[in-house]
Every structure is written in C-alpha cells, then in structure tokens.
Amino acid sequence: MDRNSRKIVIAIDGHSSCGKSTFAKAIAARLGYIFIDTGAMYRSVTLYALENGGIVGGIVDEDAIVALLDQIDITFRFNPARGASDIYVNGEYVEGKIRTIEVSNFVSAVSSIAAVRTKLVAMQQQLGRQRGVVMDGRDIGTVVFPDAELKIFMTADAKVRAERRFAELKAKGDDVCFEEILENVIARDKADSNRAISPLRKADDAIVLDNSFMTVEQQMEWFDAQLDRVLSL
Ligand code: DC
C-alpha cells in the first residue's frame, strides 16, 4: 500500500534516553506526520511545579501539584529550524529549561501522580485524533493509543544511554557528571517501570528495537521494513 494513502498512529515507548525522540522525529519528517514528545509534557508540568511551589526543598507536594494543574496551559508550535514542535507553558518557550538534570530528577515522581496523567493523556489523545502522528513516551501503545497500528518498544544498554545523554548535555555547555546521569537513567527506568499507574511496559503487540549499537540510518532501515509490513496487512 502507498505510504501516503493511509494515515496511522505510530506509538514509540521505551526506556529513558535511548533516542526515542530522535527516532520519532526522523520518522515523522519522512512521512509528513506530526511528532509529539509526551515526555516534554511531563517535564513541563515538573518545571512548573518547581517554579510555583509544587516541589520545595526537594519534596514533591502532590496536593500542591494537583492544585496547580488548572493553571498549566501546554501548547506546541512548529519550529522549522528544528523540524519539530517546541513546547510552551502559558506562552513561555521552555524547551531549554525542561531538559536540565533538576527536572529529570523530579519528573518520574510528578508523572506518577494520577491527575497529572489524566490531564496529559486526554491532551495527547486529542492531538492524535486525526492520526498521522508519531508519539513517543512510556504508555502510548498501552494507554494513550492502544489501537495504534504500529507500536515500537525502544531500549538500549543503560551505559550507552547515559553516554549519549552526557554528550548531549556537554555539547549544550552544561556542567554535568557522568555518574550522576547514569544514576538518573537507572533510577528513572526503575521508577517508570514500577509505578502504580500506567507503568512502562511493552505492549503485547509492540516490536522491540534495541538500538545500543545501531546508527540512526540503520534504525531507519529497520523502521521502513516494519512500516511496509504494517501497511501490507
Ligand atoms: O521521554 P523523557 O525522558 O523526556 O520523559 C521524562 C519522564 O516523563 C519519564 O521519566 C517518565 C515520564 N513520562 C511518562 O510517564 N509517560 C510518558 N508518556 C512520557 C514520559
């Protein structure tokens, strides 16, 4: 079947820092689909909580965060230079601020709050309602779009993932410590997989992509074969 004749939902779930967004962005560009980074949405709520009394002195105040939720307006605006949408909170551009290690350290706790998930899942379902979307996260194939036509579960060796994150933050000029990043990667895997609501798990009908030793080009070749298989069904 012609790739352009039927728009589908492509759900990409998996562990932290294994290149889900890079992969999802490349696929979306190839197919002319919308790319939604749902981790950026959980990060944005975490940032807002840090800046507005929802997390104080390292303590996550669940009730305070739930009370703040109605004040948080998340929007995406396409940025042609990046070939993807940038995220805004109440009109403020927050792409840079949401990727810090501070936000990374609290985002698993914030994303385990039921009311936070309810709000963001509803928004994600709305964003993908017309299909033609590539969405990456932890629960896309299991909860947000259980009917997605193509589900991919991405993973990579924890050390390889920490090395990639380290290089990325260093390139941005951040003063980062490799051990701290590795600890964060391992801690987030554990928290994301063991939380009570919508834990990270492979959907039964997802296909696994371990990209520890794959280039982006090799991942694209693998993806093309998977897409052809799904479209021929
Ligand atoms: O993809 P990321 O590392 O930017 O995501 C940040 C955190 O957000 C991740 O540790 C868990 C949470 N998350 C989630 O719970 N559900 C999603 N769909 C996406 C992210």
Side-chain angles (χ1 to χ4, degrees):
M1 173 180 290
D2 173 11
R3 290 181 166 205
N4 298 317
S5 64
R6 179 161 68 110
K7 292 220 181 267
I8 63 169
V9 170
I10 301 174
I12 301 177
D13 291 304
H15 292 112
S16 297
S17 306
C18 61
K20 292 189 299 296
S21 296
T22 306
F23 181 70
K25 199 172 96 173
I27 291 172
R30 218 174 173 92
L31 300 177
Y33 279 19
I34 294 166
F35 159 56
I36 306 287
D37 173 359
T38 64
M41 297 165 79
Y42 289 94
R43 287 173 177 276
S44 294
V45 172
T46 305
L47 175 70
Y48 193 86
L50 279 163
E51 291 183 342
N52 293 278
I55 302 170
V56 181
I59 308 290
V60 176
D61 182 340
E62 214 176 297
D63 293 337
I65 293 175
V66 173
L68 289 173
L69 280 179
D70 280 346
Q71 302 170 21
I72 310 176
D73 179 41
I74 295 174
T75 47
F76 288 97
R77 285 184 218 162
F78 188 72
N79 176 348
R82 223 164 57 85
S85 294
D86 290 335
I87 195 160
Y88 290 74
V89 174
N90 297 338
E92 185 197 349
Y93 171 87
V94 292
E95 274 296 330
K97 280 171 139 185
I98 60 170
R99 314 272 170 201
T100 61
I101 191 85
E102 190 187 19
V103 169
S104 297
N105 283 336
F106 289 107
V107 68
S108 283
V110 172
S111 63
S112 69
I113 301 171
V116 171
R117 302 205 72 83
T118 303
K119 176 181 168 112
L120 297 188
V121 167
M123 200 181 149
Q124 290 152 14
Q125 289 171 334
Q126 182 66 14
L127 288 165
R129 74 191 183 287
Q130 290 179 322
R131 307 193 95 73
V133 72
V134 185
M135 205 171 272
D136 90 66
R138 303 292 187 288
D139 59 344
I140 311 305
T142 51
V143 175
V144 183
F145 284 105
D147 63 343
E149 289 83 353
L150 178 52
K151 298 182 187 177
I152 297 169
F153 188 88
M154 278 179 82
T155 189
D157 178 78
K159 265 203 170 141
V160 172
R161 288 187 276 141
E163 274 159 16
R164 290 178 187 160
R165 194 78 162 193
F166 180 74
E168 218 174 84
L169 291 169
K170 261 267 191 279
K172 277 203 312 181
D174 286 8
D175 181 21
V176 281
C177 156
F178 176 76
E179 286 306 322
E180 191 185 352
I181 292 176
L182 180 60
E183 264 172 41
N184 175 263
V185 162
I186 293 170
R188 278 204 291 146
D189 284 354
K190 201 169 158 203
D192 296 345
S193 305
N194 291 301
R195 69 176 174 228
I197 316 160
S198 311
L200 168 66
R201 68 168 183 85
K202 184 185 106 46
D204 293 338
D205 51 348
I207 34 178
V208 176
L209 171 61
D210 182 335
N211 71 0
S212 302
F213 304 105
M214 284 171 89
T215 62
V216 173
E217 290 71 30
Q218 288 169 329
Q219 293 174 60
M220 285 302 117
E221 271 175 36
W222 177 91
F223 170 76
D224 280 337
Q226 301 305 326
L227 183 67
D228 288 343
R229 182 184 55 78
V230 165
L231 294 180
S232 68
L233 293 178

